Amino acid sequence: RGSELRGGCDIWTRSATSSVRILLLHGGANTCYSPRAYRPLASRLAAATGFTVVVPDYRLAPEHVYPSALDDAEAVFNNHLAADPNVKHIILFGDSSGAALALSLAMFRLPPNHEKVRGLVTLSPWLDMSARTQAYEMKHDPVYNTGDAEAERRDTQNLARRYFSSS
Protein backbone atom coordinates (compact mmCIF):
# COMPACT_ATOMS: atom_id res chain seq x y z
CA ARG A 1 0.00 0.00 0.00
CA GLY A 2 2.94 2.32 0.29
CA SER A 3 4.15 4.79 2.84
CA GLU A 4 2.73 7.56 4.96
CA LEU A 5 4.43 9.92 7.37
CA ARG A 6 2.76 10.02 10.77
CA GLY A 7 4.02 11.15 14.16
CA GLY A 8 7.62 11.51 12.97
CA CYS A 9 7.62 8.00 11.50
CA ASP A 10 7.61 6.59 8.00
CA ILE A 11 4.92 3.87 8.03
CA TRP A 12 5.00 1.08 5.44
CA THR A 13 2.03 -1.25 5.18
CA ARG A 14 1.31 -4.27 3.08
CA SER A 15 -1.79 -5.42 4.93
CA ALA A 16 -4.08 -3.06 6.83
CA THR A 17 -5.18 -5.97 9.01
CA SER A 18 -1.74 -7.03 10.26
CA SER A 19 -1.39 -6.88 14.03
CA VAL A 20 2.41 -7.18 13.84
CA ARG A 21 4.70 -4.17 13.62
CA ILE A 22 8.39 -4.06 12.80
CA LEU A 23 10.15 -1.15 14.47
CA LEU A 24 13.01 -0.50 12.03
CA LEU A 25 15.77 1.60 13.58
CA HIS A 26 18.07 2.88 10.85
CA GLY A 27 21.84 2.95 10.92
CA GLY A 28 24.13 5.85 10.18
CA ALA A 29 26.38 6.06 13.26
CA ASN A 30 23.66 8.07 15.04
CA THR A 31 24.74 11.03 12.90
CA CYS A 32 23.10 10.60 9.51
CA TYR A 33 20.32 9.03 7.43
CA SER A 34 16.59 9.22 7.91
CA PRO A 35 13.51 7.11 7.28
CA ARG A 36 13.63 8.25 3.64
CA ALA A 37 16.99 6.49 3.13
CA TYR A 38 15.46 3.27 4.45
CA ARG A 39 12.36 3.24 2.27
CA PRO A 40 13.66 0.46 -0.01
CA LEU A 41 14.38 -1.83 2.96
CA ALA A 42 11.14 -0.91 4.75
CA SER A 43 9.01 -1.52 1.67
CA ARG A 44 10.69 -4.87 1.01
CA LEU A 45 10.22 -5.95 4.63
CA ALA A 46 6.55 -5.01 4.51
CA ALA A 47 6.05 -6.85 1.22
CA ALA A 48 7.93 -9.96 2.34
CA THR A 49 6.30 -10.27 5.76
CA GLY A 50 2.89 -8.69 5.36
CA PHE A 51 3.64 -6.69 8.52
CA THR A 52 3.56 -2.93 8.99
CA VAL A 53 7.04 -1.41 9.21
CA VAL A 54 7.54 1.73 11.30
CA VAL A 55 10.75 3.73 10.72
CA PRO A 56 11.12 6.56 13.24
CA ASP A 57 12.81 9.83 12.39
CA TYR A 58 14.93 10.01 15.53
CA ARG A 59 17.19 12.89 16.48
CA LEU A 60 20.81 12.73 15.33
CA ALA A 61 24.19 13.88 16.61
CA PRO A 62 25.99 16.17 16.82
CA GLU A 63 22.96 18.43 17.43
CA HIS A 64 21.33 15.80 19.63
CA VAL A 65 23.69 13.58 21.59
CA TYR A 66 23.15 10.40 23.57
CA PRO A 67 20.57 9.40 24.72
CA SER A 68 18.37 11.39 22.28
CA ALA A 69 18.04 8.64 19.65
CA LEU A 70 17.32 6.03 22.32
CA ASP A 71 14.75 8.32 23.97
CA ASP A 72 13.04 8.78 20.59
CA ALA A 73 13.03 5.04 19.86
CA GLU A 74 11.51 4.40 23.27
CA ALA A 75 8.85 7.07 22.73
CA VAL A 76 7.85 5.58 19.36
CA PHE A 77 7.73 2.12 20.90
CA ASN A 78 5.57 3.24 23.83
CA ASN A 79 3.36 5.85 22.17
CA HIS A 80 2.86 4.47 18.66
CA LEU A 81 3.20 0.72 19.09
CA ALA A 82 2.78 -0.65 22.61
CA ALA A 83 -0.14 1.68 23.38
CA ASP A 84 -2.03 0.66 20.21
CA PRO A 85 -4.57 -2.07 21.07
CA ASN A 86 -4.49 -3.25 17.43
CA VAL A 87 -0.79 -4.09 17.74
CA LYS A 88 -0.35 -7.59 19.15
CA HIS A 89 3.34 -8.20 18.40
CA ILE A 90 6.38 -5.98 17.83
CA ILE A 91 9.67 -6.99 16.24
CA LEU A 92 12.66 -4.73 16.94
CA PHE A 93 14.90 -4.50 13.87
CA GLY A 94 18.01 -2.44 13.23
CA ASP A 95 21.22 -2.25 11.28
CA SER A 96 24.56 -0.88 12.44
CA SER A 97 23.90 1.90 14.98
CA GLY A 98 20.17 1.17 14.62
CA ALA A 99 20.87 -2.40 15.74
CA ALA A 100 22.67 -1.02 18.80
CA LEU A 101 19.60 1.14 19.48
CA ALA A 102 17.30 -1.89 19.14
CA LEU A 103 19.45 -3.85 21.58
CA SER A 104 19.66 -0.94 24.01
CA LEU A 105 15.90 -0.45 23.86
CA ALA A 106 15.28 -4.13 24.58
CA MET A 107 17.91 -4.47 27.30
CA PHE A 108 17.70 -1.18 29.18
CA ARG A 109 14.44 0.60 28.46
CA LEU A 110 11.76 -2.08 28.14
CA PRO A 111 10.58 -4.33 30.93
CA PRO A 112 11.96 -7.89 30.72
CA ASN A 113 9.70 -10.19 28.72
CA HIS A 114 7.55 -7.33 27.40
CA GLU A 115 4.31 -8.98 26.29
CA LYS A 116 4.32 -7.44 22.82
CA VAL A 117 8.00 -7.91 21.87
CA ARG A 118 8.30 -11.08 19.80
CA GLY A 119 11.67 -10.67 18.17
CA LEU A 120 14.90 -8.76 17.81
CA VAL A 121 16.79 -8.65 14.52
CA THR A 122 20.20 -7.02 14.23
CA LEU A 123 22.18 -6.58 11.01
CA SER A 124 25.86 -5.78 11.51
CA PRO A 125 25.31 -4.18 14.92
CA TRP A 126 27.64 -1.35 15.91
CA LEU A 127 28.45 -2.58 19.41
CA ASP A 128 32.08 -1.57 19.90
CA MET A 129 32.05 2.20 19.71
CA SER A 130 35.50 2.31 21.29
CA ALA A 131 36.95 0.50 18.25
CA ARG A 132 39.39 -1.32 20.49
CA THR A 133 38.52 -4.96 19.83
CA GLN A 134 40.10 -7.33 17.33
CA ALA A 135 37.09 -6.89 15.05
CA TYR A 136 38.69 -3.68 13.81
CA GLU A 137 41.75 -5.61 12.69
CA MET A 138 39.71 -7.97 10.50
CA LYS A 139 39.82 -7.35 6.77
CA HIS A 140 36.61 -9.05 5.66
CA ASP A 141 33.83 -6.61 6.53
CA PRO A 142 31.81 -6.53 3.29
CA VAL A 143 30.33 -3.08 4.00
CA TYR A 144 32.98 -0.98 5.66
CA ASN A 145 36.46 -2.05 4.67
CA THR A 146 38.89 0.54 3.44
CA GLY A 147 41.85 -1.76 3.97
CA ASP A 148 43.19 0.67 6.55
CA ALA A 149 42.27 -0.64 10.02
CA GLU A 150 43.75 2.38 11.78
CA ALA A 151 41.71 4.85 9.71
CA GLU A 152 38.56 2.82 10.32
CA ARG A 153 39.29 2.83 14.05
CA ARG A 154 39.79 6.62 14.05
CA ASP A 155 36.58 7.16 12.03
CA THR A 156 34.58 4.97 14.41
CA GLN A 157 35.98 6.70 17.48
CA ASN A 158 35.26 10.14 16.00
CA LEU A 159 31.66 9.19 15.20
CA ALA A 160 31.17 7.77 18.69
CA ARG A 161 32.62 10.95 20.23
CA ARG A 162 30.09 13.03 18.27
CA TYR A 163 27.25 10.90 19.63
CA PHE A 164 28.47 10.86 23.24
CA SER A 165 29.98 14.35 23.25
CA SER A 166 28.22 15.62 26.38
CA SER A 167 27.73 12.30 28.19
Side-chain angles (χ1 to χ4, degrees):
R1 288 183 32 194
S3 161
E4 65 178 277
L5 197 58
R6 184 174 63 220
C9 299
D10 205 0
I11 314 289
W12 285 88
T13 57
R14 176 71 174 173
S15 166
T17 60
S18 175
S19 63
V20 179
R21 302 291 182 271
I22 296 174
L23 177 59
L24 171 56
L25 299 170
H26 68 78
N30 301 306
T31 62
C32 61
Y33 299 132
S34 70
R36 170 175 248 151
Y38 277 71
R39 284 181 173 173
L41 176 58
S43 65
R44 287 186 188 109
L45 276 173
T49 63
F51 304 153
T52 297
V53 179
V54 177
V55 188
D57 190 12
Y58 55 79
R59 293 172 290 168
L60 301 172
E63 294 82 8
H64 304 281
V65 296
Y66 175 83
S68 298
L70 183 56
D71 291 343
D72 294 349
E74 181 182 23
V76 168
F77 181 92
N78 289 327
N79 301 330
H80 292 286
L81 301 175
D84 185 340
N86 298 317
V87 175
K88 303 296 182 217
H89 305 298
I90 301 167
I91 299 167
L92 305 175
F93 187 110
D95 78 296
S96 189
S97 61
L101 279 178
L103 283 166
S104 295
L105 181 62
M107 293 175 64
F108 303 115
R109 296 290 182 93
L110 301 180
N113 303 312
H114 191 286
E115 71 267 3
K116 289 192 176 186
V117 175
R118 289 296 184 262
L120 174 63
V121 178
T122 62
L123 302 177
S124 190
W126 186 26
L127 301 178
D128 177 17
M129 294 182 187
S130 71
R132 292 188 181 131
T133 65
Q134 284 185 334
Y136 285 87
E137 301 297 332
M138 301 171 90
K139 302 292 185 207
H140 55 270
D141 184 328
V143 177
Y144 186 67
N145 183 359
T146 64
D148 184 345
E150 193 52 43
E152 291 171 19
R153 180 177 284 113
R154 270 192 318 274
D155 289 349
T156 298
Q157 290 170 335
N158 286 334
L159 289 167
R161 254 191 304 279
R162 288 176 71 185
Y163 184 53
F164 292 109
S165 67
S166 67
S167 302

